[in-house]
Amino acid sequence: MSASETPVTDGFEKALDALRRAPYGVGDAALWEVEGSVLREARVHLEAWERVVRGLEVGRVTERGELECRDGVAGLVRKLPGPVAEVYGEALGEVDGRYMELTVEDDDAPGGAGGWWWGRRPRAGWA
């Protein structure tokens, strides 16, 4: 069996399953809907961000525009209820940490309101 391309996202899914089954649960049933929920959106953005970072690990040529998937993550944490936001934040922190390890500060980064991730570049540079 091959290793997952997105192990952090997979771990997030497992943690959510544990939350769903916990006796205290998370009361908002709409949160658990698969289509159209903020949770679904959060998962998709986390997976996309993890794919970008995993690509950097294996030396895939990356374009600066791929960082836009991380932009989508920024506001989602605040929309998730407490226990889910905590699990999501831990997963995101793991992927962000790996991105930090694989990149360096970018003096040529565009200014503006972009998140911290826009101020970094892969060690080998952009495509």
Side-chain angles (χ1 to χ4, degrees), residues 16-82:
L16 286 181
D17 285 341
L19 277 177
R20 284 183 183 104
R21 288 178 286 184
Y24 54 85
V26 176
D28 185 358
L31 177 69
W32 303 112
E33 293 176 9
V34 174
E35 293 299 323
S37 74
V38 68
L39 181 58
R40 170 85 171 141
E41 185 180 357
R43 190 220 176 275
V44 166
H45 282 286
L46 177 63
E47 181 177 38
W49 179 230
E50 186 176 6
R51 286 185 187 282
V52 168
V53 174
R54 296 292 173 199
L56 291 174
E57 284 182 329
V58 298
R60 184 178 62 80
V61 177
T62 304
E63 296 181 12
R64 185 184 295 277
E66 291 183 73
L67 298 179
E68 289 179 357
C69 67
R70 177 58 175 84
D71 292 343
V73 173
L76 292 171
V77 176
R78 293 186 298 276
K79 294 180 181 179
L80 297 170

